[in-house]
Amino acid sequence: MITNIKKKLARKRSLQPLSPEEQSEWDQLRQYREKAIKESGAKLAEHVMTFNDGVIAIIITIVLVEIADPLSKSAYQDFFSQIFIYLISFANCKNKLNTYHNIW
């Protein structure tokens, strides 16, 4: 490994041109690096979007779990009002999720 470093330093000092094989390898590495840089932004956006989907799914689930079963006939009015509020909240979350997906 030390000999490789010495060779590289010697090449830098002497400024020898690269051989055709080395130039080809260098070009391939450069293209791979540029491709990786371009794809990293898309991957980050995908990860953020997936995380956001999970958070919204958890929020919707927690809201649904909070709805209590009616224990008597008089409690049905409160039950239906909670269902109505849940549906409004669900529609609101879905709207925000769709907007977020369209932005990315």
Side-chain angles (χ1 to χ4, degrees), residues 22 33 49 54 56 61 70:
E22 291 173 330
R33 179 181 173 271
M49 194 178 316
I56 289 180
T61 303

Side-chain angles (χ1 to χ4, degrees), residues 2-51:
I2 295 175
T3 57
N4 289 339
I5 294 173
K6 288 181 180 180
K7 287 179 183 179
K8 289 179 183 178
L9 288 174
R11 173 173 281 158
K12 285 183 181 180
R13 290 184 189 136
S14 65
L15 298 175
Q16 296 174 354
L18 296 174
S19 68
E21 295 86 18
E22 291 173 330
Q23 185 64 40
S24 173
E25 184 179 349
W26 179 257
D27 291 338
Q28 288 175 352
L29 289 172
R30 186 180 304 148
Q31 290 172 356
Y32 177 76
R33 179 181 173 271
E34 290 172 0
K35 181 181 174 186
I37 289 172
K38 288 178 185 176
E39 290 177 355
S40 67
K43 286 182 182 179
L44 177 63
E46 184 177 332
H47 287 295
V48 169
M49 194 178 316
T50 303
F51 178 76

Side-chain angles (χ1 to χ4, degrees), residues 60-83:
I60 290 173
T61 303
I62 290 173
V63 169
L64 183 63
V65 168
E66 292 294 320
I67 298 176
D69 291 336
L71 300 176
S72 65
K73 289 187 176 188
S74 62
Y76 274 100
Q77 183 178 3
D78 186 43
F79 176 72
F80 288 128
S81 67
Q82 288 180 356
I83 294 291

